[in-house]
Amino acid sequence: MSNLKVLINGIITENPTFVLLLGMCPTLGTTSSAINGMSMGLATAFVLICSNVVISLIKNLTPNLVRIPVFIVVIASFVTLVQMLMQAYVPALYSTLGLFIPLIVVNCIILGRAEAFASKNGPVSSFFDGLGIGIGFTIALTILGAVREFLGTGKVFDFAIMPENYGMLLFVLAPGAFIALGFLMAIFNKISKKNA
């Protein structure tokens, strides 16, 4: 498969949120606003790209018995780097995302791509796989966050579009995340089946 197909596969065909339904904890927990969703998506994409490349480089050096623990150590190293950078440069965003940043270590998207793709392919293909899945995840979280923020507060990226008193509090809360995600998945699947 060409690198372009690997990239597009991660964004559309194997979109982790709308198609594979992976990473639902950060998807539902951090998307109360568009900026939170986008930030979580970008942090996860960075970890995904870096860990994919490193795991593809060390796959032949890693004994099969300790493969998963080695993958987790690699992923945890990049998560720690992201966590320290966010704490240093965007502390307000870091405090908003809170516990979800360290939980990137156990995100099934990252470990799944390490096991399914990076451990079987070269670093260039693994980079494009991480980039595609990361972009797909970031787009999904940003759209979900924007929809929830708009319906809940009348804003998108903190810009007022309609008066706040027309917003529905339900969409800022957890049940609204499930409702919005369900409708967005249906729309995404309808569009992708039409274009197939």
Side-chain angles (χ1 to χ4, degrees):
M1 193 178 334
S2 74
N3 292 331
L4 182 62
K5 281 190 177 184
V6 169
L7 181 71
I8 292 170
N9 185 50
I11 297 171
I12 297 169
T13 313
E14 289 186 16
N15 185 289
T17 304
F18 295 139
V19 177
L20 301 179
L21 300 177
L22 296 174
M24 288 294 109
C25 181
T27 299
L28 299 171
T30 63
T31 56
S32 57
S33 71
I35 193 71
N36 288 355
M38 186 177 73
S39 302
M40 186 65 192
L42 290 174
T44 305
F46 173 79
V47 172
L48 185 59
I49 292 166
C50 295
S51 60
N52 262 14
V53 170
V54 169
I55 288 167
S56 71
L57 289 170
I58 65 169
K59 68 179 184 268
N60 295 329
L61 305 171
T62 308
N64 205 33
L65 289 172
V66 294
R67 185 180 77 253
I68 300 298
V70 168
F71 292 174
I72 291 174
V73 168
V74 169
I75 293 165
S77 301
F78 288 112
V79 170
T80 303
L81 178 64
V82 166
Q83 187 174 2
M84 290 192 298
L85 287 171
M86 286 182 80
Q87 257 180 317
Y89 295 107
V90 281
L93 185 62
Y94 175 77
S95 65
T96 301
L97 295 177
L99 181 64
F100 290 101
I101 297 298
L103 284 176
I104 293 174
V105 174
V106 291
N107 191 323
C108 53
I109 297 168
I110 297 173
L111 192 57
R113 294 321 290 178
E115 178 66 22
F117 197 92
S119 65
K120 296 174 178 64
N121 292 285
V124 175
S125 293
S126 296
F127 170 82
F128 281 101
D129 177 68
L131 184 63
I133 295 287
I135 289 172
F137 189 62
T138 303
I139 288 170
L141 264 62
T142 305
I143 290 171
L144 180 59
V147 167
R148 287 182 64 198
E149 185 179 11
F150 174 72
L151 294 175
T153 65
K155 300 177 181 178
V156 175
F157 284 105
D158 225 15
F159 292 109
I161 295 175
M162 66 180 187
E164 192 168 342
N165 55 347
Y166 288 109
M168 295 170 276
L169 179 63
L170 172 73
F171 285 98
V172 179
L173 302 174
F178 284 100
I179 294 167
L181 178 62
F183 278 107
L184 288 172
M185 284 172 48
I187 292 167
F188 182 87
N189 289 324
K190 184 81 172 169
I191 291 170
S192 51
K193 281 182 183 165
K194 189 182 288 187
N195 293 331

